[in-house]
């Protein structure tokens, strides 16, 4: 159920759409923004739900004691994988999974954005929750969703 709009989608959905359409249209290249070096962390939506439920069941706090026991410094918990991937690597994986045979061209006149966005998930990991869905599985799930729910709308 991602947003695959050409003007305002995020990088994950944008790359899926670009490579899928390029393959269907027999294009020679896909143009991606920036130079591909920024890194991003991606979390499968099913894992977000699982982690939220896990936290509700396992995280207890006394709002009056500030949790100064060197275990947790505040009442916030980041939910993420703790792993990031460069946009270049992500584009290459999506290209391969889609079966696009052309080139990836980086348009360096476009912005890269923040160079790195990765969460500190050590608190969540100490509680006992860890991400289990790989980036490859997430891409497979997103491609299935895109092909089942969006591609017909785009090519019609």
């Amino acid at each position: 159920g991602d947003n695959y709009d050409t003007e305002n989608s995020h990088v994950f959905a944008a790359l899926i759409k670009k490579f899928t359409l390029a393959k269907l249209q027999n294009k020679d290249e896909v143009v991606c923004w920036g130079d591909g070096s920024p890194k991003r962390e991606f979390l499968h939506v099913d894992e977000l739900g699982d982690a939220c439920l896990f936290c509700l069941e396992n995280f207890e706090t006394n709002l009056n004691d500030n949790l100064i026991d060197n275990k947790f410094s505040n009442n916030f918990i980041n939910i993420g994988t703790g792993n990031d991937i460069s946009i270049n690597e992500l584009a290459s994986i999506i290209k391969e999974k889609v079966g696009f045979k052309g080139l990836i061209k980086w348009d360096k006149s476009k912005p890269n954005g923040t160079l790195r966005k990765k969460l500190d998930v050590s608190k969540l990991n100490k509680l006992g929750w860890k991400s289990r869905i790989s980036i490859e599985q997430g891409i497979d799930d997103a491609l299935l969703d895109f092909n089942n729910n969006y591609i017909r709308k785009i090519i019609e």
Side-chain angles (χ1 to χ4, degrees):
D2 209 333
N3 170 17
Y4 297 99
D5 184 80
T6 304
E7 299 301 318
N8 62 21
S9 64
H10 292 102
V11 65
F12 199 91
L15 292 175
I16 285 173
K17 182 177 180 181
K18 282 184 178 199
F19 283 105
T20 302
L21 291 180
K23 179 184 177 188
L24 291 173
Q25 297 167 351
N26 295 314
K27 295 210 174 188
D28 294 329
E29 66 182 29
V30 167
V31 177
C32 299
W33 281 25
D35 65 10
S37 66
K39 292 187 171 191
R40 297 291 182 268
E41 178 177 4
F42 298 97
L43 179 70
H44 196 286
V45 66
D46 291 348
E47 288 202 309
L48 176 60
D50 182 62
C52 288
L53 183 60
F54 178 87
C55 288
L56 288 170
E57 293 172 344
N58 293 283
F59 184 67
E60 293 183 24
T61 181
N62 180 345
L63 295 177
N64 296 322
D65 68 10
N66 292 329
L67 294 171
I68 305 177
D69 62 359
N70 293 327
K71 188 174 180 184
F72 304 119
S73 61
N74 60 44
N75 294 326
F76 297 100
I77 297 178
N78 290 326
I79 296 176
T81 64
N83 300 308
D84 55 4
I85 183 173
S86 74
I87 301 304
N88 186 14
E89 291 173 278
L90 179 67
S92 295
I93 295 169
I94 292 172
K95 173 188 171 183
E96 181 181 320
K97 287 188 174 284
V98 166
F100 176 68
K101 302 296 183 197
L103 300 174
I104 299 173
K105 181 178 176 184
W106 295 97
D107 182 354
K108 295 176 184 174
S109 72
K110 302 290 187 192
N112 268 332
T114 304
L115 290 181
R116 192 165 194 200
K117 293 183 180 180
K118 181 180 169 190
L119 295 173
D120 176 0
V121 295
S122 58
K123 190 186 298 185
L124 183 60
N125 291 167
K126 285 178 188 175
L127 281 172
W129 188 91
K130 291 191 182 193
S131 172
R132 295 179 309 279
I133 298 177
S134 69
I135 188 72
E136 289 83 3
Q137 181 62 52
I139 293 169
D140 289 343
D141 291 349
L143 282 169
L144 183 63
D145 175 63
F146 181 76
N147 289 327
N148 287 342
N149 297 304
Y150 297 93
I151 196 67
R152 280 186 230 108
K153 296 175 189 174
I154 293 169
I155 59 176
E156 289 176 346

